[in-house]
């Protein structure tokens, strides 16, 4: 379901050089399910001391890395011989320097080495679906040109790789399906990232309160050990955010009341946590949302018209909560070709509900969730901004 497009040049299966890449963010990780089109197999290198110096450094870096790779079942490194690094499989050059490394699905085993930080002109580094382990060297902070960093579906461990926080050009960071642990640094959400995948690791602690500062369009924090509340700032993220996933963590408290006011989210999944309280009316602002998954929490109250009348809704899942009813508009979802699962709640007259003893005490009854007064109709920030832009463009027309 998650799809991100990147204009950065990227590669797949050791293909040819040039063109535009398309990254797909689904499954077991990998923004590198992509293709290079056009150009030659490896662009010829002009002579000159500057270019020769850069390629000498690249040779040093790649040979050091080769020595740290302990298993190469596809015999890729058999081409990593001699000083012409532009002939190495998975290494791609742009005239005077190494522009990218793509070893996706190579099934290599080994570790990263600090010498790779010599590749300061490299714009992408993709290692999706290998068996690399260990940590990310601190020296990687010197990769000033790196835009896409994909370590997904490996065996990396240790704390969050802090070197990524110092990469000024980074826009795509994919660490999913590894064994990273510890806390998520707040500096991450100040970076100018477009896509951030941290899911399926062992991150713990609270989500930094500045989550809402991130300009990313896709954020996936699923399947970790994160605890505490969803930061209130999440409710006021900008319209660029399209998908965010919190599922299968240990989050508690309320869904932030501001959710929906300024965002244009298409996918929101908070399932498999311990969230309590009511569903904010501000979710009614999410007119572009297609998937809203609130299942397997301890939410209560009634589902209102403002939620069930969302125009783009394709799937609304609220199973395994403590909802006590839903509106007439919600009843119509059963006939709107919308996936609507209300099983195992506390709704009178519905099949497959919780036994009555479980519904006698609603979890979080003493929890006080901040409620924003909702004038009718609710004024949604993103809609107001869009209307303002439209008005300004109309008034400025000749």
């Amino acid at each position: 379901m998650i799809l991100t497009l990147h204009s950065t040049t990227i590669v797949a299966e050791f293909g040819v050089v040039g063109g535009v890449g398309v990254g797909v963010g689904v499954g077991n990780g990998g923004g590198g399910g992509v293709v290079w089109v056009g150009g030659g197999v490896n662009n010829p290198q002009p002579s000159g001391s500057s270019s020769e110096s850069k390629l000498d450094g690249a040779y040093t870096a790649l040979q050091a890395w080769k020595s740290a790779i302990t298993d190469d079942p596809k015999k890729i490194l058999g081409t990593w011989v001699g000083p012409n690094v532009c002939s190495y499989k998975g290494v791609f050059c742009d005239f005077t320097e190494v522009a990218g490394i793509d070893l996706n699905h190579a099934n290599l085993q080994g570790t990263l080495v600090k010498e790779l930080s010599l590749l300061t002109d490299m714009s992408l580094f993709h290692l999706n679906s290998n068996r690399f382990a260990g940590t990310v060297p601190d020296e990687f902070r010197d990769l000033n040109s790196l835009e896409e960093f994909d370590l997904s579906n490996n065996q990396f461990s240790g704390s969050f790789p802090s070197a990524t926080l110092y990469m000024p050009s980074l826009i795509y960071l994919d660490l999913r399906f590894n064994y990273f642990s510890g806390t998520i640094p707040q500096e991450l959400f100040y970076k100018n990232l477009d896509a951030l995948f941290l899911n399926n690791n062992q991150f713990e602690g609270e989500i930094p309160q500045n989550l809402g500062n991130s300009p990313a369009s896709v954020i996936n924090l699923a399947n970790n050990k994160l605890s505490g509340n969803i930061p209130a700032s999440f409710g006021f993220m900008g319209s660029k955010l399209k998908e965010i996933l919190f599922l299968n963590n240990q989050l508690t408290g309320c869904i932030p009341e501001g959710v929906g006011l300024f965002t244009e989210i298409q996918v929101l999944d908070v399932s498999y946590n311990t969230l309590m309280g009511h569903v904010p009316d501000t979710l009614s602002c999410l007119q572009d949302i297609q998937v809203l998954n609130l299942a397997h929490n301890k939410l209560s109250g009634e589902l209102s018209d403002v939620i069930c009348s969302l125009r783009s809704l394709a799937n609304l899942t609220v199973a395994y909560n403590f909802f006590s009813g839903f509106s007439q508009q919600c009843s119509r979802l059963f006939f709107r070709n919308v996936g609507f699962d209300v099983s195992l709640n506390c709704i009178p007259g519905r099949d497959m509900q919780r036994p009555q003893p479980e519904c006698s005490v609603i979890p979080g009854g003493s929890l006080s969730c901040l409620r924003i007064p909702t004038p009718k109709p609710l004024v949604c920030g993103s809609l107001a901004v869009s209307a303002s832009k439209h008005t300004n463009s109309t008034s400025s027309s000749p």
Side-chain angles (χ1 to χ4, degrees), residues 158-178:
S159 59
F160 181 89
S162 59
T164 61
L165 302 175
Y166 299 90
M167 297 175 180
S169 303
L170 195 65
I171 58 174
Y172 181 95
L173 178 61
D174 194 344
L175 303 180
R176 59 186 145 173
F177 291 93
N178 279 288

Side-chain angles (χ1 to χ4, degrees), residues 253-272:
C254 311
I255 297 176
E257 182 65 35
V259 171
L261 278 177
F262 296 95
T263 57
E264 297 175 7
I265 296 175
Q266 297 171 358
V267 177
L268 171 59
D269 193 333
V270 298
S271 61
Y272 290 91

Side-chain angles (χ1 to χ4, degrees), residues 182-260:
T183 58
I184 298 173
Q186 67 173 2
E187 292 85 358
L188 182 63
F189 298 115
Y190 289 124
K191 288 194 64 64
N192 190 32
L193 294 173
D194 178 63
L196 174 62
F197 298 96
L198 301 184
N199 53 293
N200 295 82
N201 279 283
Q202 297 176 8
F203 290 117
E204 58 188 5
E206 296 189 359
I207 301 171
Q209 292 301 306
N210 66 328
L211 170 68
N213 290 88
S214 176
S217 61
V218 179
I219 298 176
N220 194 337
L221 305 177
N223 301 311
N224 280 287
K225 300 177 181 179
L226 300 170
S227 57
N229 297 345
I230 297 176
S233 65
F234 164 56
F236 303 96
M237 295 185 77
S239 60
K240 189 177 180 183
L241 182 68
K242 303 303 179 186
E243 304 184 16
I244 188 163
L245 294 91
F246 297 102
L247 70 126
N248 197 25
N249 278 286
Q250 300 165 14
L251 301 174
T252 57
C254 311
I255 297 176
E257 182 65 35
V259 171

Side-chain angles (χ1 to χ4, degrees), residues 75-136:
K75 308 301 180 185
I76 292 162
L77 301 186
T79 67
W80 287 30
V81 178
N84 182 14
V85 297
C86 298
S87 68
Y88 294 6
K89 273 190 176 180
V91 178
F92 300 90
C93 295
D94 182 12
F95 298 108
T96 62
E97 67 272 335
V98 171
I101 293 176
D102 191 306
L103 293 170
N104 285 348
H105 305 282
N107 199 24
L108 296 168
Q109 182 179 45
T111 59
L112 299 178
V113 296
K114 64 182 181 180
E115 286 84 356
L116 288 169
S117 63
L118 295 172
L119 303 176
T120 54
D121 295 300
M122 180 169 60
S123 63
L124 65 96
F125 190 56
H126 287 174
L127 294 183
N128 169 32
S129 298
N130 284 279
R131 290 175 289 147
F132 286 102
T135 59
V136 176

